[in-house]
Amino acid sequence: MRLLIIDDEEDICDLIAEIAARHDLETRTISDAENVSGILSDFIPDIIMMDLMMPGIDGVELLRLLSEKSKQAKLCLISGSDSRVLNSARRLGSAHGLDVIAALEKPLSIQTLDEFFKQAVSTARPADGDNHGHALANGQFMLYYQPIVDLKTRAIKGVEALARWQHPERGVLMPDKFLDKITNGGLMQALTDFVIASAIKQAGVWDKAGHKLTLSINVSASSLLDLSMPDKIADMCNKYNVPHDRLILEVTETEAMRDVTRTMDVLLRMRLRNIGISIDDFGTGHSSLRELQRMPFSELKIDRNFISDSTKSADAAVIVASMIDLGHNLGLRIIAEGIEDEATWDLMRDKGCDYAQGFFIGHPMTASDLDIWIEKWRGQS
Ligand code: C2E
Ligand code: MG
Ligand code: MG
């Protein structure tokens, strides 16, 4: 794998290169930003580490350049400025479509770099040679479930099903390692079918055990163009004796709004069968108020970046509060995703948000771990 370091301080480049070598990375360093464009034409990096403050070019300009020349690389930002500057730059990078995986503050320690490379190498390693279709057909995909709870009463509302690939050599892989390949390989329909079947079957098991949980399933835009989806889901619910209104489909805001007219067709058929529709990662797309009001959503999930910022920034807190009010005025239930600590839990509850999801409540886990989690949570509530 290849690493490009863009930093005008040579001793920093040397230090990073030395640690990178331990992780078998082929490294190029560049200390004058004018040459970045040139180097990218014959060296295609998997990972780029860039200093935000370089003479001759500022970080903002460099981010724009990278978004044009090297979108596929994983990006790590480095800066001597405080964490707020780093965080804004991080958001700007993401807005340019760059895959910003870390933001490190100078001075850099050997340990920080070592941990960064361990993580980055496993994230950036291409899954080529893996046969996704084969893995799907051979039962290597499985579902983890993450709890969603009521912010006022702490009652367990339900779970979100999240796909995992139990890879025979590489262990449990997260969606960011396989979803693109699944989509590009034309396998999304097959994955969605698997997810629907196993999640509804599991909901039936929980139902029998007396756990009336809602079950949220993520679906991609392509599934929303599949006119047979509503019946497929309704049939599966009937087969496992799961009431239709226990099921919620999550569609990201960006995907739902890409082609409102066509998406509306399938969404409406779902709602007519009493299946819920949730707008996922809300705040990252560009829906107009009119579209929001027209689409038959039942829930709104505020993107976790807004949630995690809300205890640190007054602006973010105002934005989240407005989203909650907006959603409520449209008759939607609101879920805050990505709640990682008690302060965020308290803030969301005080702002009137309905439900909470996040590591503070519970990580995504296997169905049997969820049984244990339910006992524990009820014991504490
Ligand atoms: P999502 O639907 O927004 O799911 C929430 C993601 O946030 C999950 O990541 C979850 O592990 C993570 N998360 C939850 N709480 C916290 C928290 O407190 N802190 C942080 N940092 N993260 C938290 P995961 O499982 O990696 O899934 C990523 C995305 O992949 C999902 O985002 C969803 O869009 C997609 N995805 C997952 N499973 C499926 C699937 O079966 N089908 C489709 N089409 N997409 C899926
Ligand atoms: Mg989701
Ligand atoms: Mg989400």
Side-chain angles (χ1 to χ4, degrees):
M1 285 177 66
R2 298 164 147 207
L3 166 72
L4 178 65
I5 309 169
I6 310 171
D7 197 321
D8 58 311
E9 291 178 70
E10 276 175 27
D11 47 341
I12 294 203
C13 290
D14 291 345
L15 173 69
I16 298 177
E18 190 190 319
I19 312 294
R22 297 185 197 165
H23 293 266
D24 291 331
L25 287 157
E26 177 190 343
T27 303
R28 289 265 186 105
T29 58
I30 181 162
S31 49
D32 50 341
E34 291 112 67
N35 291 329
V36 172
S37 210
I39 205 167
L40 286 173
S41 51
D42 69 9
F43 181 80
I44 299 169
D46 300 290
I47 303 166
I48 298 175
M49 296 181 76
M50 63 165 272
D51 186 2
L52 281 173
M53 305 281 231
M54 302 265 296
I57 187 168
D58 68 27
V60 175
E61 222 174 305
L62 195 50
L63 284 172
R64 183 164 345 106
L65 181 79
L66 292 180
S67 74
E68 282 159 14
K69 299 263 176 191
S70 188
K71 230 176 197 154
Q72 80 295 336
K74 306 281 170 191
L75 189 63
C76 170
L77 307 174
I78 318 169
S79 166
S81 322
D82 64 41
S83 58
R84 284 185 52 184
V85 173
L86 261 174
N87 279 331
S88 318
R90 191 181 185 140
R91 270 195 292 270
L92 182 66
S94 305
H96 277 304
L98 291 163
D99 190 0
V100 188
I101 56 167
L104 305 179
E105 270 178 73
K106 283 185 183 176
L108 299 170
S109 72
I110 293 179
Q111 195 196 348
T112 308
L113 287 170
D114 205 44
E115 274 164 17
F116 165 73
F117 282 121
K118 221 182 273 163
Q119 178 74 32
V121 167
S122 74
T123 311
R125 181 182 295 136
D128 286 341
D130 284 330
N131 185 333
H132 293 65
H134 176 269
L136 254 174
N138 283 280
Q140 289 178 17
F141 279 82
M142 60 186 296
L143 292 179
Y144 273 33
Y145 299 91
Q146 187 177 30
I148 301 171
V149 301
D150 190 306
L151 268 163
K152 284 177 216 86
T153 64
R154 293 176 63 87
I156 303 167
K157 168 199 191 278
V159 292
E160 175 174 4
L162 295 158
R164 299 289 183 266
W165 178 357
Q166 179 74 57
H167 193 283
E169 283 115 41
R170 294 165 61 199
V172 176
L173 302 183
M174 310 287 276
D176 64 338
K177 305 251 174 50
F178 57 78
L179 276 185
D180 281 352
K181 283 266 166 61
I182 293 271
T183 308
N184 298 334
L187 293 165
M188 187 46 96
Q189 194 61 56
L191 177 70
T192 306
D193 287 350
F194 158 77
V195 172
I196 289 172
S198 36
I200 296 177
K201 189 171 170 191
Q202 182 59 48
V205 172
W206 279 322
D207 228 61
K208 274 211 188 100
H211 304 317
K212 310 282 177 215
L213 306 174
T214 61
L215 197 95
S216 300
I217 294 173
N218 294 283
V219 291
S220 67
S222 59
S223 306
L224 296 179
L225 301 177
D226 172 7
L227 296 179
S228 67
M229 266 273 281
D231 281 331
K232 245 189 233 170
I233 292 182
D235 291 348
M236 200 64 77
C237 283
N238 298 344
K239 180 170 169 193
Y240 292 107
N241 278 321
V242 175
H244 295 185
D245 62 359
R246 214 65 75 58
L247 219 70
I248 298 161
L249 299 190
E250 294 194 0
V251 197
T252 64
E253 182 185 18
T254 318
E255 301 210 330
M257 300 306 182
R258 195 171 294 156
D259 185 347
V260 176
T261 321
R262 292 187 65 188
T263 311
M264 176 86 89
D265 192 327
V266 171
L267 292 187
L268 201 56
R269 286 172 202 222
M270 298 282 183
R271 294 292 287 135
L272 290 171
R273 285 165 181 73
N274 261 332
I275 296 162
I277 308 285
S278 187
I279 176 163
D280 203 354
D281 301 347
F282 185 74
T284 59
H286 305 276
S287 31
S288 68
L289 287 176
R290 189 175 168 71
E291 284 165 340
L292 266 182
Q293 190 256 333
R294 272 175 56 201
M295 297 287 266
F297 297 120
S298 42
E299 277 183 5
L300 184 153
K301 295 185 87 167
I302 301 176
D303 186 67
R304 69 165 187 263
N305 288 309
F306 291 102
I307 304 296
S308 58
D309 287 351
S310 63
T311 46
K312 292 167 224 129
S313 132
D315 289 348
V318 169
I319 293 174
V320 169
S322 315
M323 287 180 186
I324 295 171
D325 283 346
L326 170 68
H328 279 160
N329 288 334
L330 292 170
L332 306 174
R333 294 312 198 96
I334 319 291
I335 299 177
E337 56 177 18
I339 294 193
E340 293 186 356
D341 51 40
E342 190 165 11
T344 317
W345 167 286
D346 289 345
L347 184 68
M348 288 307 124
R349 186 200 49 212
D350 296 345
K351 299 274 180 207
C353 186
D354 304 295
Y355 301 110
Q357 179 180 357
F359 297 166
F360 178 63
I361 299 114
H363 284 253
M365 56 192 117
T366 60
S368 58
D369 283 344
L370 192 91
D371 290 335
I372 300 168
W373 179 90
I374 290 175
E375 293 309 319
K376 230 169 98 195
W377 182 266
R378 288 193 175 145
Q380 290 165 358
S381 298

